[in-house]
Amino acid sequence: MKRSLTFLLVIGLAAFSALAQVPTKPPQDAKPPQEMKPPADQPKPYDTVVTEDFKTQTGVFKTHTAKGKLLLEIPPAELGRDFLLVIQIKGSPSASSYPGQSVDDMVVRWELRENKVLLKAVSYANIADPNDSIKKAVDMMNTPTIMMAFNIEALAADGSPVIDATKLFTSDVNEIPVKKRVSGQNIDGSRTFLEKVRVFPLNLNVEALQTFNPKPAVPPAGFPPQYLDMLPSPPSPTALVHYSFVKLPEKPMMGRLYDDRVPYFTHSHTDYSRPDHETVVRRFVARWRLEKKDPKAAKSEPVKPIVFHIDPATPKKWVPYIKRAIEAWQPAFEEAGFLKAIVAKEAPSPQENPDWSADDARVSCIRWVPSTTANAMGPHVSDPRSGEILEADVEIYHNVQQLARDWYWVQSGPLDPRAKTLPLPDSVMGDILEYIVTHEVGHSLGLPHNFKASALYTIEQIRDKNWVKKNSHVPTLMDYSRFNYVAQPEDGIDPKDLIPKIGPYDVFSIKWAYTPIPSAKTPDEENPVLNEWCKAQDKTPYLRFSTAGTRGTDPGEQSEAVGDIDAVKATTLGFKNLKRVIDMLPDAVLKPGENYDQFTHMYDAVWNQARLETGHVANIIGGYDSEPKVGPAEGLRFTPLSRARQADAVAFLNENVFKTPEWLIPADILRKIEPSSGQARILALQQAVLNNMLSPARLNRLQEHEAILDGQAYTAPQLLFDLRGGILTELLTAAPTVVDPYRRNLQRAYIDLLGARLAPAAAAGSASAAAAPKDDSRGAIRAELKTIRELLARTVPSTKDAATKNHWNDLLDRIAQILEPNK
């Protein structure tokens, strides 16, 4: 910067000296003197750049805006400082993205180089101790990417460079992949505009309305090339994109090391200064910086509490419920030694605080989003150097109420007198929204989902009204264990206790992550204490988290499940409630003068719940029970489920899915919705279960069980034998029988699926090659088809019903094609 000022001074003196030596009367052939101008890339006088046309804001930077142009004035103290650049989709252009969707976040620095300001992307993926001899070599691995270079347009009186930052938001930047989120190509600058610029003490926010050129239309397979120009042109996606430059703390918070037994969202580094004989990835949990006002007190208010404001757009009737949802976490933080650690506040009015904004990096907010998306999110912004959470915006989409209503009515309608008819009363919807917000706030505190939790209470505990009053029906509300569909009317559970609330695992997890350890000066020094705290999980299983590395093999780690410690018993009870819901449906939904759209929607919701619950049972086959452990601990982390438990699961599915579930298709309901007998609905459910049960991965695990359990395993031949008894029951009776259309559909689908599993191996990498079994189940499937063929051949002659006889013969032909495809 001094070099640039000196250069301008030298140029000015040289120009003055040259002008002083010009003769008063130039020679006849001399050309008129040219006006001396500084080079185009040199700074200009401040007042000629930042004119009166610009509107100026002051904060962490100075911004000057006018006519779609943004000048950024960067104080010398902020040059070379770490900022977190957070990019989000604020306005959704299409179904390919949604409001609030994250694009990326990265650490960036503004750096001065000669007469330019560089915006650099900085990585902390590889780190080393500054005093370590390897530090310089590690720095060479972290060479920052120059995202964009800006000419210095002017210099302020204090030396702050002024740059034209407009192009950062109106042109393509390879390191900012907005176009991937909106399914577009490059930005079209002629259709891209700056929308809003706000600057605060800790952050700069810029919103840009960006239009992208569309991706070329993708022709369907086999489309004639000569007609490509006839394909419709995709629309150009336009998105409102939000950029926030958040100033990171000058001194990073001391991180807390991650533990598989109490997981949190994390930030990772490869530390080359460790004494280990291999590179070590260090993971630090995402958590807020909480420090006691009185460090000596067992419980103290924090120096700076976690404050969530409630969006002014929130419907007034829901505000009290959202306040309770935020502060529901206070008791958990008390166990960590903090009083009033998390506080809810309503957003101030413009009259109370005209400078307040939800976009300010100092403000965390529960935002009510006017969107048809039936969802909610709990993201946070954190310092990747330490894991410190800096700010969080929980987003509650308006239409999440529809999702919540469907879940609650289908799962708990028969258990809550207030839910006998729709719409649900505000008192019920308020309690449900409170649960949803509490869950999302949990994410913003650093907690991920814990899907194992739903399998850590017994069925008896889940139905015990006193137990659930104290402990909820699931140990954490960070599981997707919605409402207590296992409970029965006779259990007498308070309807408010059908909704999950903060449970024992939540308290344990917050205590583990947030309790200060004053004696520790480094993350490593905390480890002995943290490990000691984890020992509570050995004595109290419901304080455990999902086991790392299960790869979907544990049927106790299922989402949308209640009581999957015993999915057969839980689903048996769940089906009892679903049958009650079917009976409730007409009186609850049908209203005078209304069409059948809502009736159809709620009927479909019953089907969705039935699919979920049957899936929980099917996942038992080939499953493992898992338990999180660290060395040196006794016992196994992964134990194959017993043969009896798997056989019980198949028996349940035979009885409740493959035996036509007529309760799901009552004529007085179905024929109000569609002109059909429900065959397609029933078959779709049965095929989904069969595809799950006979998936290559599951068949492979059955073979693994056979190798592990030494004669005590539930095997693929046993599975096929049991399925024969449930799907082809009519072949196993001596009496003449008639096979109805529902059963014929199922039997054809079963034979076709067995045939697909025997399909000859295709070219490597193809879909059929990937689906081919890698175990010896091919032999079991072939043997099973031969057995079925023999049974069919024996049964056909005595079959009198024409439709059934035709069906049997069709199956014989299909099996022949499978077993002898070349004939």
Side-chain angles (χ1 to χ4, degrees):
M1 185 162 49
K2 289 181 178 178
R3 185 184 303 170
S4 300
L5 288 169
T6 303
F7 182 72
L8 282 174
L9 182 59
V10 170
I11 289 291
L13 289 172
F16 177 79
S17 175
L19 288 172
Q21 298 175 25
V22 173
T24 56
K25 189 175 181 180
Q28 286 274 336
D29 58 349
K31 295 180 179 178
Q34 299 291 318
E35 184 181 349
M36 294 293 293
K37 292 183 179 180
D41 62 348
Q42 294 301 313
K44 305 171 188 66
Y46 186 88
D47 290 343
T48 66
V49 175
V50 185
T51 66
E52 293 181 354
D53 295 332
F54 284 89
K55 177 184 177 182
T56 297
Q57 298 180 61
T58 300
V60 65
F61 306 126
K62 270 190 178 179
T63 63
H64 313 283
T65 53
K67 297 178 181 178
K69 188 175 183 179
L70 168 61
L71 299 180
L72 194 61
E73 189 173 319
I74 308 173
E78 306 305 341
L79 291 167
R81 288 288 303 268
D82 282 351
F83 284 78
L84 191 68
L85 171 56
V86 182
I87 309 108
Q88 294 176 308
I89 303 292
K90 186 170 183 178
S92 176
S94 67
S96 64
S97 60
Y98 53 85
Q101 182 178 13
S102 173
V103 173
D104 206 353
D105 60 77
M106 63 191 77
V107 179
V108 298
R109 291 181 194 146
W110 300 94
E111 293 188 358
L112 192 65
R113 183 183 177 93
E114 299 171 355
N115 62 336
K116 292 184 182 293
V117 171
L118 308 180
L119 178 61
K120 293 183 174 181
V122 180
S123 172
Y124 283 94
N126 303 301
I127 62 173
D129 189 304
N131 300 316
D132 199 318
S133 59
I134 202 173
K135 179 66 167 67
K136 288 185 178 179
V138 171
D139 287 345
M140 296 299 290
M141 295 170 58
N142 288 342
T143 303
T145 296
I146 299 174
M147 298 169 60
M148 193 165 280
F150 304 86
N151 290 331
I152 297 176
E153 303 294 329
L155 289 166
D158 65 353
S160 300
V162 178
I163 63 172
D164 184 349
T166 312
K167 65 179 181 179
L168 178 61
F169 310 103
T170 59
S171 61
D172 276 311
V173 181
N174 288 335
E175 292 74 24
I176 301 177
V178 178
K179 58 189 175 186
K180 294 182 180 179
R181 290 287 187 269
V182 298
S183 300
Q185 292 200 103
N186 55 304
I187 286 180
D188 184 344
S190 67
R191 296 183 285 167
T192 293
F193 309 92
L194 288 182
E195 286 287 287
K196 184 166 67 173
V197 176
R198 293 290 304 274
V199 65
F200 303 95
L202 294 178
N203 67 304
L204 163 69
N205 288 351
V206 179
E207 290 179 10
L209 192 65
Q210 298 178 343
T211 301
F212 298 81
N213 291 315
K215 290 183 177 180
V218 179
F223 193 84
Q226 63 269 30
Y227 298 122
L228 288 178
D229 59 347
M230 298 178 63
L231 289 172
S233 298
S236 299
T238 297
L240 183 61
V241 184
H242 184 272
Y243 298 79
S244 186
F245 293 84
V246 182
K247 186 177 179 178
L248 292 176
E250 188 168 352
K251 182 181 179 181
M253 178 184 75
M254 188 178 86
R256 180 158 289 184
L257 288 167
Y258 175 86
D259 192 310
D260 280 337
R261 294 168 292 179
V262 197
Y264 269 70
F265 297 123
T266 63
H267 288 279
S268 303
H269 317 277
T270 301
D271 190 342
Y272 286 89
S273 293
R274 303 292 301 165
D276 310 88
H277 294 167
E278 59 182 345
T279 56
V280 175
V281 175
R282 307 260 283 172
R283 300 171 68 186
F284 293 97
V285 304
R287 58 184 184 141
W288 296 77
R289 188 191 295 236
L290 289 180
E291 298 166 337
K292 290 183 176 181
K293 284 183 179 178
D294 181 0
K296 295 181 180 179
K299 295 182 180 181
S300 166
E301 291 188 15
V303 174
K304 182 182 179 182
I306 304 164
V307 178
F308 276 93
H309 289 84
I310 300 173
D311 189 347
T314 305
K316 294 299 181 185
K317 63 183 177 180
W318 303 139
V319 170
Y321 296 96
I322 293 176
K323 281 184 176 179
R324 288 204 297 269
I326 297 165
E327 296 184 350
W329 287 97
Q330 285 187 355
F333 279 102
E334 288 183 17
E335 292 298 311
F338 293 98
L339 300 171
K340 297 181 180 178
I342 182 167
V343 179
K345 291 184 178 180
E346 291 189 53
S349 68
Q351 293 74 29
E352 293 169 328
N353 184 353
D355 295 325
W356 186 91
S357 170
D359 295 331
D360 189 336
R362 298 170 299 173
V363 173
S364 294
C365 196
I366 309 294
R367 297 197 181 202
W368 192 273
V369 181
S371 170
T372 58
T373 302
N375 200 5
M377 296 173 59
H380 59 259
V381 174
S382 54
D383 185 344
R385 304 169 303 174
S386 64
E388 178 185 356
I389 298 174
L390 306 172
E391 177 263 351
D393 286 321
V394 172
E395 297 190 350
I396 307 299
Y397 299 121
H398 187 83
N399 220 31
V400 77
Q401 296 174 90
Q402 179 205 63
L403 187 63
R405 176 206 63 200
D406 294 355
W407 284 337
Y408 190 79
W409 191 77
V410 167
Q411 296 175 7
S412 296
L415 309 172
D416 185 350
R418 302 170 299 170
K420 292 298 182 185
T421 60
L422 295 177
L424 295 175
D426 284 352
S427 59
V428 177
M429 182 57 71
D431 288 342
I432 298 170
L433 285 172
E434 182 178 337
Y435 149 63
I436 292 171
V437 174
T438 310
H439 174 100
E440 301 303 340
V441 169
H443 285 318
S444 75
L445 299 175
L447 281 73
H449 292 130
N450 179 5
F451 292 136
K452 181 69 172 182
S454 57
L456 297 177
Y457 285 164
T458 66
I459 299 295
E460 291 70 29
Q461 287 170 329
I462 293 168
R463 296 183 64 184
D464 184 329
K465 63 181 180 181
N466 296 320
W467 176 270
V468 298
K469 175 72 71 178
K470 180 181 179 181
N471 300 291
S472 186
H473 68 261
V474 59
T476 171
L477 52 68
M478 302 313 297
D479 196 341
Y480 280 170
S481 187
R482 310 294 182 181
F483 307 111
N484 192 349
Y485 63 75
V486 169
Q488 299 295 295
E490 63 268 23
D491 297 335
I493 291 177
D494 183 342
K496 283 185 175 292
D497 295 330
L498 299 170
I499 303 172
K501 52 180 174 281
I502 294 213
Y505 175 83
D506 300 311
V507 176
F508 170 76
S509 180
I510 291 292
K511 183 177 180 180
W512 183 92
Y514 283 92
T515 302
I517 306 176
S519 60
K521 305 304 178 187
T522 67
D524 292 288
E525 290 179 8
E526 288 189 334
N527 272 347
V529 177
L530 296 172
N531 185 59
E532 192 66 27
W533 290 345
C534 282
K535 290 181 180 178
Q537 295 174 321
D538 297 333
K539 297 178 181 178
T540 311
Y542 55 75
L543 297 182
R544 295 174 186 164
F545 192 86
S546 301
T547 305
T550 54
R551 297 189 294 236
T553 63
D554 186 346
E557 289 184 1
Q558 304 192 68
S559 67
E560 311 296 343
V562 175
D564 46 341
I565 190 172
D566 187 342
V568 170
K569 188 178 290 186
T571 304
T572 299
L573 294 166
F575 275 16
K576 286 184 177 182
N577 279 331
L578 281 180
K579 291 172 183 176
R580 296 180 180 114
V581 171
I582 288 280
D583 292 339
M584 291 166 53
L585 188 58
D587 292 339
V589 179
L590 289 176
K591 302 291 189 295
E594 291 186 1
N595 63 27
Y596 283 84
D597 291 349
Q598 181 80 344
F599 189 73
T600 302
H601 177 84
M602 297 311 298
Y603 178 62
D604 288 341
V606 174
W607 273 88
N608 291 336
Q609 183 66 25
R611 290 187 194 98
L612 283 172
E613 295 185 33
T614 54
H616 299 153
V617 177
N619 287 337
I620 291 173
I621 301 160
Y624 288 78
D625 187 27
S626 67
E627 181 180 338
K629 292 179 181 292
V630 295
E634 295 183 0
L636 304 174
R637 290 175 65 216
F638 306 107
T639 304
L641 299 184
S642 69
R643 176 166 58 190
R645 186 172 172 189
Q646 296 182 65
D648 285 348
V650 177
F652 174 90
L653 295 171
N654 276 338
E655 180 63 26
N656 293 277
V657 178
F658 302 137
K659 182 178 179 181
T660 307
E662 295 179 359
W663 63 272
L664 274 169
I665 49 171
D668 60 331
I669 289 178
L670 186 64
R671 236 78 81 226
K672 284 184 171 70
I673 291 170
E674 60 192 40
S676 80
S677 61
Q679 290 183 62
R681 288 175 177 269
I682 295 290
L683 181 59
L685 172 65
Q686 294 170 333
Q687 284 181 308
V689 173
L690 277 174
N691 278 311
N692 187 356
M693 296 173 73
L694 295 175
S695 68
R698 201 170 300 285
L699 293 172
N700 183 65
R701 290 204 298 270
L702 290 178
Q703 183 174 320
E704 296 286 355
H705 286 195
E706 189 176 359
I708 294 169
L709 294 178
D710 192 23
Q712 299 301 311
Y714 189 75
T715 62
Q718 182 66 50
L719 170 61
L720 295 171
F721 175 83
D722 290 345
L723 285 175
R724 187 200 317 159
I727 296 173
L728 293 157
T729 316
E730 295 86 349
L731 291 176
L732 306 177
T733 178
T737 187
V738 174
V739 183
D740 67 38
Y742 299 95
R743 296 283 290 175
R744 296 202 299 263
N745 289 333
L746 169 63
Q747 291 164 1
R748 279 192 297 269
Y750 180 55
I751 297 301
D752 284 345
L753 179 57
L754 294 181
R757 293 291 179 260
L758 283 185
S766 70
S768 55
K774 303 299 189 293
D775 51 60
D776 60 9
S777 63
R778 289 175 59 86
I781 292 171
R782 185 173 293 277
E784 179 63 20
L785 285 169
K786 289 179 178 179
T787 299
I788 294 171
R789 181 172 61 181
E790 292 172 3
L791 291 171
L792 285 167
R794 187 183 66 190
T795 305
V796 167
S798 61
T799 301
K800 304 299 182 185
D801 179 69
T804 301
K805 193 164 192 171
N806 292 338
H807 169 61
W808 292 145
N809 282 320
D810 179 60
L811 292 186
L812 278 170
D813 289 344
R814 179 70 185 109
I815 292 172
Q817 292 170 5
I818 294 168
L819 294 178
E820 299 167 343
N822 297 322
K823 281 192 175 183

